[in-house]
Amino acid sequence: MRGVFLALGVAVTIVGAAPAGADPDGGGDGGAGDAAFLAALRAAGLTFSSDQQAIVAGHAVCSMANNGEPGLSVVKQLTTDNPGLSMDAASQFAAAAAKAYCPQHLRK
């Protein structure tokens, strides 16, 4: 998977644990992409401190991908920015962000 992401200075608290009660209609572009992204995070068991922070970080994934940042490097940065976040959870976050916001970065 080529989906990449980075908090780009936005340290998002994401923990591989029980899902938080997020409002799927809040934040970001307010569209279906945000709702799908937040739903995918919850389905993966990833929690976050706020919908808006998760959405901003999700969009940052695509910004990094658009700038040519290698996926592994972005996933590693996410784990650096979010201590306790496993590589697996970071990869799940990246996949959800890419699917919702920049599917052109997913391998077919």
Side-chain angles (χ1 to χ4, degrees):
M1 192 232 21
R2 266 188 148 197
V4 294
F5 64 106
L6 177 65
L8 276 172
V10 178
V12 178
T13 304
I14 305 165
V15 182
D23 174 13
D25 296 323
D29 63 7
D34 292 343
F37 175 60
L38 295 172
L41 294 182
R42 287 192 309 277
L46 300 175
T47 60
F48 40 93
S49 57
S50 78
D51 290 355
Q52 189 59 38
Q53 277 189 309
I55 290 166
V56 167
H59 283 286
V61 168
C62 294
S63 292
M64 293 301 297
N66 291 338
N67 288 332
E69 187 70 30
L72 182 58
S73 146
V74 176
V75 169
K76 285 181 179 179
Q77 184 63 49
L78 220 190
T79 62
T80 298
D81 291 345
N82 297 280
L85 183 66
S86 70
M87 290 292 285
D88 183 55
S91 295
Q92 290 176 329
F93 187 94
K99 185 175 180 184
Y101 301 124
C102 54
Q104 71 275 18
H105 290 292
L106 295 172
R107 284 192 187 156
K108 296 186 183 200

